[in-house]
């Protein structure tokens, strides 16, 4: 069966712009990490009554973003298409080769969910547009639309639902993930209580136009990501893993940098 790649992302910058309905609104630059991805495929299974995900996951099936994507897709389809989807998932399980660390700020769960939606759309010929898939994905998580659109780089705003492609030089990014499981809601809570300082519209527009390469040359890790300080505040052991020249992705725990070009010194 065909294998589908679910790529990781990093947040080149992540700034809070305000609050809406209990959510934080953001402006962020998402960039795909071409060297890091999970692989998803449909595989035939023995039992035909249970939704099955084959892979190493610490959560129960119904807590998995792939199952949540299935439930959201099922609820949005016409009865005939919904029946086809149910039949597909009775015959096949979803096998996931997991390479993107969980709880890491690299979007692994969101990317898996988006990839599953695209797989179903393709295999069942559902005819859903990217916009329709993105709206379904948004019910699963705020980062899912970015992965549905398959952009290499994009400015993401609102609570994640506004995704604007940015054509720019792709950077060869390497990631480093300490073994610290970070709770995104907890980090946002600490930000709200201790660090809340949203940026204004002028700064938003400036950041949206600035190439990622320039952001990483001119901003420190703390300046680029509003969640870095609250994450350090809540997870003190993060400090032991921070290395100069690295940046912080999402709410962590992953750090990243542009891969140094190999120079031959003879």
């Amino acid at each position: 069966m065909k294998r589908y790649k679910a790529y990781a992302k990093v947040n080149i910058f992540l700034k809070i712009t305000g609050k809406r309905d209990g959510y934080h609104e953001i402006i962020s630059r998402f960039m795909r990490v071409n060297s890091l991805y999970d692989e998803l495929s449909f595989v035939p299974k023995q039992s035909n009554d249970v939704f099955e995900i084959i892979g190493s996951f610490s959560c129960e099936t119904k807590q998995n973003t792939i199952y949540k994507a299935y439930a959201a897709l099922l609820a949005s389809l016409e009865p005939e298409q919904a029946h086809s989807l149910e039949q597909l998932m009775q015959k096949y399980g979803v096998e996931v080769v997991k390479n993107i660390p969980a709880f890491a700020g690299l979007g692994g769960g969101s990317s898996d969910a988006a990839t599953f939606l695209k797989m179903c759309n393709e295999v069942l010929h559902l005819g859903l547009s990217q916009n329709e898939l993105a709206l379904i994905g948004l019910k699963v998580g705020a980062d899912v639309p970015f992965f549905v659109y398959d952009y290499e780089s994009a400015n993401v705003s609102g609570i994640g639902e506004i995704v604007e492609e940015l054509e720019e030089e792709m950077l060869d990014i390497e990631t480093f993930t300490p073994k610290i499981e970070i709770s995104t809601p907890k980090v946002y809570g600490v930000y709200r209580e201790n660090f809340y300082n949203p940026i204004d519209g002028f700064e938003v527009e400036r950041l949206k136009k600035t190439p990622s390469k320039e952001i990483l040359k001119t901003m420190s890790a703390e300046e680029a990501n509003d969640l870095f300080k609250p994450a350090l505040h809540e997870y003190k052991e993060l400090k032991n893993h921070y290395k100069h020249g690295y940046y912080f992705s999402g709410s962590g725990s992953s750090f990243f940098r542009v891969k140094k070009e190999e120079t031959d010194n003879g």
Side-chain angles (χ1 to χ4, degrees):
M1 292 293 277
K2 180 177 173 182
R3 285 192 168 195
Y4 296 78
K5 290 179 179 178
Y7 290 97
K9 63 82 183 159
V10 292
N11 300 83
I12 301 293
F13 63 81
L14 191 162
K15 306 297 284 181
I16 312 294
T17 59
K19 284 189 286 200
R20 175 180 18 128
D21 302 332
Y23 290 97
H24 290 84
E25 292 194 295
I26 62 163
I27 178 66
S28 185
R29 173 79 43 76
F30 284 30
M31 185 174 275
R32 191 164 83 190
V33 182
N34 286 323
S35 59
L36 181 60
Y37 50 85
D38 295 341
E39 291 181 283
L40 279 68
S41 52
F42 288 123
V43 293
K45 63 178 186 178
Q46 304 303 313
S47 66
N48 66 355
D49 56 346
V50 182
F51 186 94
E52 193 175 344
I53 301 171
I54 302 134
S56 52
F57 291 94
S58 56
C59 63
E60 291 176 25
T61 298
K62 291 199 172 176
Q63 296 304 312
N64 193 293
T65 53
I66 295 168
Y67 179 83
K68 289 178 181 177
Y70 166 68
L73 179 59
L74 199 60
S76 70
L77 294 175
E78 297 294 326
E80 198 175 304
Q81 289 181 320
H83 181 63
S84 299
L85 177 59
E86 285 176 319
Q87 283 190 313
L88 177 73
M89 298 322 299
Q90 281 171 359
K91 289 180 188 166
Y92 294 91
V94 185
E95 185 173 60
V96 184
V97 179
K98 197 88 188 115
N99 298 308
I100 305 170
F103 306 104
L106 298 174
S110 297
S111 189
D112 290 348
T115 302
F116 174 77
L117 291 174
K118 289 189 280 189
M119 288 164 69
C120 293
N121 195 38
E122 184 180 308
V123 169
L124 295 172
H125 308 289
L126 298 176
L128 295 168
S129 68
Q130 281 187 318
N131 287 345
E132 288 170 316
L133 287 174
L135 282 172
I136 295 164
L138 191 59
K139 293 172 184 163
V140 180
D143 290 352
V144 178
F146 168 75
F147 295 106
V148 165
Y149 288 115
D150 221 15
Y151 296 145
E152 289 191 316
S153 177
N155 288 318
V156 176
S157 54
I159 58 167
E161 79 279 19
I162 303 165
V163 183
E164 301 168 288
E165 183 177 17
L166 183 73
E167 292 190 6
E168 63 166 340
E169 179 190 347
M170 279 299 287
L171 306 175
D172 189 7
I173 286 166
E174 60 181 342
T175 61
F176 158 64
T177 307
K179 289 198 179 336
I180 304 169
E181 285 193 7
I182 285 186
S183 159
T184 299
K186 198 174 268 188
V187 171
Y188 270 106
V190 173
Y191 170 81
R192 189 166 55 250
E193 285 165 35
N194 302 289
F195 299 96
Y196 189 70
N197 184 25
I199 62 170
D200 64 28
F202 294 108
E203 180 64 359
V204 169
E205 289 309 310
R206 186 189 72 78
L207 286 169
K208 281 167 77 169
K209 292 178 185 135
T210 308
S212 294
K213 197 171 187 178
E214 196 177 317
I215 296 278
L216 299 180
K217 275 184 182 167
T218 57
M219 295 177 90
S220 68
E222 283 186 356
E223 288 167 338
N225 188 338
D226 281 348
L227 299 181
F228 189 28
K229 277 184 181 174
L232 281 171
H233 184 275
E234 187 64 26
Y235 299 90
K236 307 241 180 322
E237 64 272 35
L238 257 182
K239 211 166 268 172
N240 304 330
H241 298 281
Y242 173 64
K243 300 172 190 169
H244 180 71
Y246 277 78
Y247 288 79
F248 194 59
S249 187
S251 59
S253 60
S254 293
F255 295 97
F256 70 93
R257 68 172 179 180
V258 178
K259 218 178 260 186
K260 296 272 188 281
E261 288 179 19
E262 299 297 333
T263 51
D264 191 357
N265 294 324

